[in-house]
Amino acid sequence: MEPSPRAPLQDGRSRAGAALRRPHNWIQLAKFCTVGAAGYVVNLVVYTLLLKQAGLHYTAAAIGSFLVAVTNNYAWNRLWTFRGQRGHVVFQGLRFLVVSTMALGANLVVLHLLVQAGLGEIVAQALAIMLVTPVNFVGNKLWSFRHRH
């Protein structure tokens, strides 16, 4: 008997459903969001310092603050959120940087669209972060910090 063309889709749905029922995944998501919130504060503080104290252009300040925040987030996610899923620090770090950079790109697109739609910049950024966080979490859980058997 030939497998149904829907079999891979149904298999993916059942795995996703099983993952949603595991409390451990929700705890990891809460930890990831906590680390992300701290990273958001780090990003804003470093951004303000680079902008106001160092006199950098806002783009350079944004890149600098992103690099500091992503390093902070990687360290905390490695040590706390995904503690049981540690791989080689450099390879895992590079994967985290790739996922975070893609999340930053998605965040900037969503932010731009929300601002263009008339939302204030701070509200738009808060919403953009919330909308991108689940994708960032899944990318890091399944790729950056994936569990190897």
Side-chain angles (χ1 to χ4, degrees):
M1 176 183 235
E2 225 172 281
S4 161
R6 291 183 147 181
L9 179 60
Q10 289 171 343
D11 185 46
R13 284 183 186 163
S14 64
R15 283 195 320 233
L20 288 172
R21 288 187 297 276
R22 287 190 194 109
H24 175 74
N25 289 333
W26 291 103
I27 292 167
Q28 275 189 330
L29 177 59
K31 287 180 176 182
F32 187 82
C33 289
T34 300
V35 170
Y40 181 69
V41 171
V42 167
N43 192 316
L44 290 178
V45 168
V46 172
Y47 176 78
T48 302
L49 289 172
L50 291 174
L51 196 64
K52 303 291 183 183
Q53 300 299 319
L56 292 181
H57 185 272
Y58 72 89
T59 303
I63 292 168
S65 65
F66 167 76
L67 292 172
V68 172
V70 80
T71 302
N72 174 74
N73 287 8
Y74 171 66
W76 280 109
N77 278 312
R78 181 173 168 80
L79 294 171
W80 186 48
T81 308
F82 300 107
R83 180 182 7 199
Q85 297 168 243
R86 289 190 192 163
H88 188 278
V89 67
V90 173
F91 295 123
Q92 210 169 48
L94 289 173
R95 287 180 176 175
F96 186 84
L97 182 60
V98 168
V99 171
S100 296
T101 302
M102 291 172 63
L104 172 66
N107 184 80
L108 293 174
V109 168
V110 172
L111 174 63
H112 175 74
L113 293 173
L114 292 173
V115 168
Q116 291 302 308
L119 286 177
E121 294 171 352
I122 295 172
V123 172
Q125 175 66 344
L127 286 172
I129 290 169
M130 286 189 279
L131 291 171
V132 172
T133 294
V135 174
N136 192 11
F137 172 72
V138 169
N140 279 300
K141 180 171 178 59
L142 298 180
W143 191 52
S144 305
F145 295 101
R146 75 174 172 238
H147 185 67
R148 295 184 186 216
H149 299 285

